Each structure stands twice: as C-alpha cells, then as structure tokens.
Amino acid sequence: MTKKAPRRTAERILEVTLDLFNRFGEPNVSTTLISAELNISPGNLYYHYPAKDELINSLFDRYDKALGELLNASDGVRDVEDAWFFMHTLFELIWQYRFLYRDLNDLLSKNRRLETSFQRVLKDKMRAIRALLDGMSRTGAVQIDSREVEATAASMVVVLTYWLSFEYVRDPRHALEPDSAQLALLRGAHHVLHLLVPYLEQGQRMHLLKLVGAYSGSPAGES
C-alpha cells in the first residue's frame, strides 16, 4: 500500500490555528499554544509564519476567496427557496471562520490589512444583496420600492455580519460551540430573510415561514 504523503507543515499550522481561534477566540490563543498543540517548536512555527498576524491574514485570505466565489452566486437567486439556500450557505462559511466575526472589532483595531479588507468585504456583501433583491424583484418574488433597496440591503448585511456576535452575547458559554452551530445558522438565515417579509409576495412569504419551520423543527415563524 502506498503511504500518503505527509501534509505540509504550513497547511497543518493553519488548520490547527483556525480550530484554536474558533474554539477560544483569537485574542486568547498565543503562538506558544499553537506550537504546543501541533507538537512543534516555536522556531518551526515562526519559520512558516513569523508573526501571529500572518496566521490571521492567511486564514482571512482563504475565507475571502471562498466568500467571493459564494457571493457571485447571488446573481442566480430568484425566489425565497434560492435565497434561503444562499443565505444558509453564507452562514456556513461564516461559521467555518467564526473567529473573524466573534472578535471582529478587536481584530480590525489591531490589523490594518484586515481593517481595509473588511471594508471591501462589506461592499461585496452589499453588492451581492442588491443583486439578490434585483433578481427576486424581476421574478415578482419581492415588490420593493427602489428607494428602499439600499437601506434594506444594509440592514441585511448588518444582521449577516453581526449575527454570531449576537448569538455569543446571548449565550457566551455555548453559542459558538459546534453542537450549537446548526440552530445558530438557521436562526441567522431566518432573521436576515425576515427583513424581506414586508416586501415578499404572499405565496413567497408563506413559503419562507414553512422553510423556517421545516428546517428548525419549530412552528413556522418561531425564532
């Protein structure tokens, strides 16, 4: 049997760092802890990533690439079913890199590259949500005055960006644990799309309530 080639050390470092950041929060994870978890010397870690910010930036680059590909799919959203799938997939990606959102303000205050990059991320999210609203408007799934599009899109982006922070404040000990993931993502997708309820065509509004009930296992409309 051919033995699998060992994974490159740099790759392993990023995987372990992401797990530690997600579990404990970036501010609570030192490079010493990372090297100990990997059972490598600090010198070996520094050889690949000379500073903690380089670890953060490398993980952000991975997130940013995946996010860009996903946001492009907003052009294909035509109805509530599409929007639900798109939003839930987006929340799954955010969950995968949840340390960025849990510690967002702290990270931005310390990392200039992240500060400027997240400003672009917000603009990209806004463009994607506007495309989503435009696609749903063209099919009649939503009826929204053009003067309300920008504010509605901004509100959706705010909830999308800070939902995990809200979940964390509500239950700091459990909210960001893997066992809580599915419900947290479903609640996030529900509340982002709930902002569209005043504009949804009646059949689409009822379909959204059914989706929420089916996926969450709770009565339609229950948070």
Side-chain angles (χ1 to χ4, degrees), residues 91-137:
F91 268 107
E92 285 181 335
L93 178 62
I94 289 172
W95 178 267
Q96 187 180 349
Y97 292 89
R98 57 192 175 278
F99 84 93
L100 289 169
Y101 287 85
R102 169 180 169 172
D103 306 309
L104 182 57
N105 291 351
D106 183 64
L107 284 169
L108 298 188
S109 70
K110 299 185 300 184
N111 187 314
R112 175 61 180 167
R113 183 181 167 214
L114 228 58
E115 178 187 342
T116 55
S117 295
F118 251 94
Q119 290 172 357
R120 175 184 50 75
V121 164
L122 287 181
K123 291 177 182 177
D124 290 345
K125 287 180 181 177
M126 282 290 293
R127 278 195 293 271
I129 296 299
R130 284 195 294 265
L132 178 149
L133 291 174
D134 181 59
M136 294 181 73
S137 294

Side-chain angles (χ1 to χ4, degrees), residues 83-208:
W84 178 266
F85 180 76
F86 172 77
M87 204 58 64
H88 192 266
T89 306
L90 193 49
F91 268 107
E92 285 181 335
L93 178 62
I94 289 172
W95 178 267
Q96 187 180 349
Y97 292 89
R98 57 192 175 278
F99 84 93
L100 289 169
Y101 287 85
R102 169 180 169 172
D103 306 309
L104 182 57
N105 291 351
D106 183 64
L107 284 169
L108 298 188
S109 70
K110 299 185 300 184
N111 187 314
R112 175 61 180 167
R113 183 181 167 214
L114 228 58
E115 178 187 342
T116 55
S117 295
F118 251 94
Q119 290 172 357
R120 175 184 50 75
V121 164
L122 287 181
K123 291 177 182 177
D124 290 345
K125 287 180 181 177
M126 282 290 293
R127 278 195 293 271
I129 296 299
R130 284 195 294 265
L132 178 149
L133 291 174
D134 181 59
M136 294 181 73
S137 294
R138 282 188 275 111
T139 63
V142 299
Q143 296 179 346
I144 182 170
D145 191 305
S146 60
R147 294 169 294 183
E148 296 183 84
V149 168
E150 197 68 15
T152 301
S155 296
M156 293 173 74
V157 170
V158 168
V159 177
L160 179 64
T161 302
Y162 286 99
W163 182 258
L164 289 187
S165 294
F166 173 76
E167 289 276 353
Y168 181 71
V169 171
R170 193 162 68 165
D171 186 4
R173 294 183 181 275
H174 306 106
L176 300 188
E177 293 300 316
D179 289 346
S180 304
Q182 193 60 19
L183 280 178
L185 303 186
L186 290 168
R187 282 192 294 263
H190 171 205
H191 285 280
V192 173
L193 293 180
H194 190 76
L195 292 167
L196 296 181
V197 165
Y199 312 108
L200 286 174
E201 180 270 331
Q202 179 64 18
Q204 291 288 295
R205 184 181 304 122
M206 295 307 297
H207 189 51
L208 176 59

